[in-house]
mmCIF file of all heavy atoms in Angstrom:
data_model
loop_
_atom_site.group_PDB
_atom_site.id
_atom_site.type_symbol
_atom_site.label_atom_id
_atom_site.label_comp_id
_atom_site.label_asym_id
_atom_site.label_seq_id
_atom_site.Cartn_x
_atom_site.Cartn_y
_atom_site.Cartn_z
ATOM 1 N N GLU A 1032 28.992 86.327 -9.881
ATOM 2 C CA GLU A 1032 27.951 85.600 -10.617
ATOM 3 C C GLU A 1032 26.777 85.289 -9.694
ATOM 4 O O GLU A 1032 26.521 84.135 -9.369
ATOM 5 C CB GLU A 1032 28.501 84.266 -11.160
ATOM 6 C CG GLU A 1032 29.706 84.395 -12.046
ATOM 7 C CD GLU A 1032 29.363 84.945 -13.425
ATOM 8 O OE1 GLU A 1032 28.234 84.706 -13.886
ATOM 9 O OE2 GLU A 1032 30.230 85.601 -14.009
ATOM 10 N N GLY A 1033 26.053 86.304 -9.234
ATOM 11 C CA GLY A 1033 24.935 86.063 -8.308
ATOM 12 C C GLY A 1033 23.729 85.473 -9.008
ATOM 13 O O GLY A 1033 23.720 85.319 -10.221
ATOM 14 N N GLY A 1034 22.718 85.130 -8.209
ATOM 15 C CA GLY A 1034 21.489 84.591 -8.792
ATOM 16 C C GLY A 1034 21.559 83.076 -8.940
ATOM 17 O O GLY A 1034 20.603 82.390 -8.658
ATOM 18 N N MET A 1035 22.726 82.560 -9.340
ATOM 19 C CA MET A 1035 22.908 81.100 -9.408
ATOM 20 C C MET A 1035 23.184 80.565 -8.005
ATOM 21 O O MET A 1035 23.683 81.301 -7.153
ATOM 22 C CB MET A 1035 24.145 80.774 -10.256
ATOM 23 C CG MET A 1035 23.924 80.684 -11.725
ATOM 24 S SD MET A 1035 25.380 79.919 -12.496
ATOM 25 C CE MET A 1035 26.418 81.310 -12.837
ATOM 26 N N GLU A 1036 22.908 79.283 -7.788
ATOM 27 C CA GLU A 1036 23.270 78.664 -6.502
ATOM 28 C C GLU A 1036 24.785 78.523 -6.463
ATOM 29 O O GLU A 1036 25.419 78.368 -7.506
ATOM 30 C CB GLU A 1036 22.655 77.266 -6.382
ATOM 31 C CG GLU A 1036 21.157 77.205 -6.605
ATOM 32 C CD GLU A 1036 20.368 77.874 -5.506
ATOM 33 O OE1 GLU A 1036 20.858 77.880 -4.357
ATOM 34 O OE2 GLU A 1036 19.283 78.407 -5.790
ATOM 35 N N ILE A 1037 25.349 78.489 -5.252
ATOM 36 C CA ILE A 1037 26.802 78.416 -5.122
ATOM 37 C C ILE A 1037 27.361 77.125 -5.742
ATOM 38 O O ILE A 1037 28.445 77.123 -6.328
ATOM 39 C CB ILE A 1037 27.267 78.611 -3.647
ATOM 40 C CG1 ILE A 1037 28.789 78.733 -3.546
ATOM 41 C CG2 ILE A 1037 26.754 77.508 -2.743
ATOM 42 C CD1 ILE A 1037 29.384 79.954 -4.190
ATOM 43 N N GLU A 1038 26.574 76.034 -5.655
ATOM 44 C CA GLU A 1038 27.021 74.768 -6.247
ATOM 45 C C GLU A 1038 27.194 74.924 -7.761
ATOM 46 O O GLU A 1038 28.150 74.423 -8.346
ATOM 47 C CB GLU A 1038 26.020 73.639 -5.980
ATOM 48 C CG GLU A 1038 25.886 73.206 -4.527
ATOM 49 C CD GLU A 1038 24.990 74.115 -3.709
ATOM 50 O OE1 GLU A 1038 24.353 75.041 -4.282
ATOM 51 O OE2 GLU A 1038 24.920 73.918 -2.484
ATOM 52 N N GLU A 1039 26.221 75.646 -8.371
ATOM 53 C CA GLU A 1039 26.271 75.897 -9.807
ATOM 54 C C GLU A 1039 27.467 76.770 -10.160
ATOM 55 O O GLU A 1039 28.152 76.530 -11.153
ATOM 56 C CB GLU A 1039 24.998 76.667 -10.190
ATOM 57 C CG GLU A 1039 24.004 75.928 -11.046
ATOM 58 C CD GLU A 1039 22.778 76.804 -11.247
ATOM 59 O OE1 GLU A 1039 22.067 77.067 -10.242
ATOM 60 O OE2 GLU A 1039 22.546 77.232 -12.385
ATOM 61 N N ILE A 1040 27.687 77.806 -9.332
ATOM 62 C CA ILE A 1040 28.809 78.715 -9.595
ATOM 63 C C ILE A 1040 30.119 77.940 -9.525
ATOM 64 O O ILE A 1040 30.973 78.074 -10.396
ATOM 65 C CB ILE A 1040 28.847 79.883 -8.574
ATOM 66 C CG1 ILE A 1040 27.535 80.672 -8.614
ATOM 67 C CG2 ILE A 1040 30.026 80.805 -8.857
ATOM 68 C CD1 ILE A 1040 27.421 81.761 -7.562
ATOM 69 N N SER A 1041 30.253 77.093 -8.493
ATOM 70 C CA SER A 1041 31.540 76.409 -8.348
ATOM 71 C C SER A 1041 31.752 75.386 -9.463
ATOM 72 O O SER A 1041 32.871 75.025 -9.772
ATOM 73 C CB SER A 1041 31.700 75.790 -6.957
ATOM 74 O OG SER A 1041 30.756 74.798 -6.790
ATOM 75 N N GLU A 1042 30.660 74.961 -10.076
ATOM 76 C CA GLU A 1042 30.809 74.045 -11.199
ATOM 77 C C GLU A 1042 31.112 74.785 -12.509
ATOM 78 O O GLU A 1042 32.026 74.421 -13.241
ATOM 79 C CB GLU A 1042 29.522 73.223 -11.360
ATOM 80 C CG GLU A 1042 29.722 71.983 -12.192
ATOM 81 C CD GLU A 1042 28.637 70.968 -11.897
ATOM 82 O OE1 GLU A 1042 28.520 70.538 -10.726
ATOM 83 O OE2 GLU A 1042 27.913 70.625 -12.835
ATOM 84 N N ASN A 1043 30.341 75.853 -12.762
ATOM 85 C CA ASN A 1043 30.462 76.539 -14.058
ATOM 86 C C ASN A 1043 31.439 77.702 -14.079
ATOM 87 O O ASN A 1043 32.029 77.988 -15.101
ATOM 88 C CB ASN A 1043 29.085 77.056 -14.512
ATOM 89 C CG ASN A 1043 28.064 75.939 -14.552
ATOM 90 O OD1 ASN A 1043 28.416 74.798 -14.824
ATOM 91 N ND2 ASN A 1043 26.820 76.250 -14.258
ATOM 92 N N LYS A 1044 31.548 78.419 -12.950
ATOM 93 C CA LYS A 1044 32.417 79.614 -12.937
ATOM 94 C C LYS A 1044 33.299 79.602 -11.702
ATOM 95 O O LYS A 1044 33.276 80.552 -10.914
ATOM 96 C CB LYS A 1044 31.524 80.876 -12.899
ATOM 97 C CG LYS A 1044 30.660 81.078 -14.110
ATOM 98 C CD LYS A 1044 31.336 82.011 -15.082
ATOM 99 C CE LYS A 1044 30.397 82.263 -16.255
ATOM 100 N NZ LYS A 1044 30.927 83.264 -17.157
ATOM 101 N N PRO A 1045 34.056 78.528 -11.504
ATOM 102 C CA PRO A 1045 34.829 78.439 -10.256
ATOM 103 C C PRO A 1045 35.820 79.595 -10.094
ATOM 104 O O PRO A 1045 36.106 80.021 -8.979
ATOM 105 C CB PRO A 1045 35.563 77.098 -10.375
ATOM 106 C CG PRO A 1045 35.526 76.740 -11.819
ATOM 107 C CD PRO A 1045 34.298 77.376 -12.383
ATOM 108 N N GLU A 1046 36.294 80.144 -11.216
ATOM 109 C CA GLU A 1046 37.294 81.224 -11.128
ATOM 110 C C GLU A 1046 36.676 82.520 -10.602
ATOM 111 O O GLU A 1046 37.398 83.417 -10.167
ATOM 112 C CB GLU A 1046 37.981 81.428 -12.490
ATOM 113 C CG GLU A 1046 37.123 82.003 -13.617
ATOM 114 C CD GLU A 1046 36.056 81.035 -14.161
ATOM 115 O OE1 GLU A 1046 36.125 79.809 -13.878
ATOM 116 O OE2 GLU A 1046 35.137 81.509 -14.867
#
Side-chain angles (χ1 to χ4, degrees):
E1032 303 286 330
M1035 274 193 271
E1036 306 291 330
I1037 188 66
E1038 293 81 6
E1039 248 176 294
I1040 302 175
S1041 65
E1042 198 158 300
N1043 305 328
K1044 296 264 184 174
E1046 69 289 345

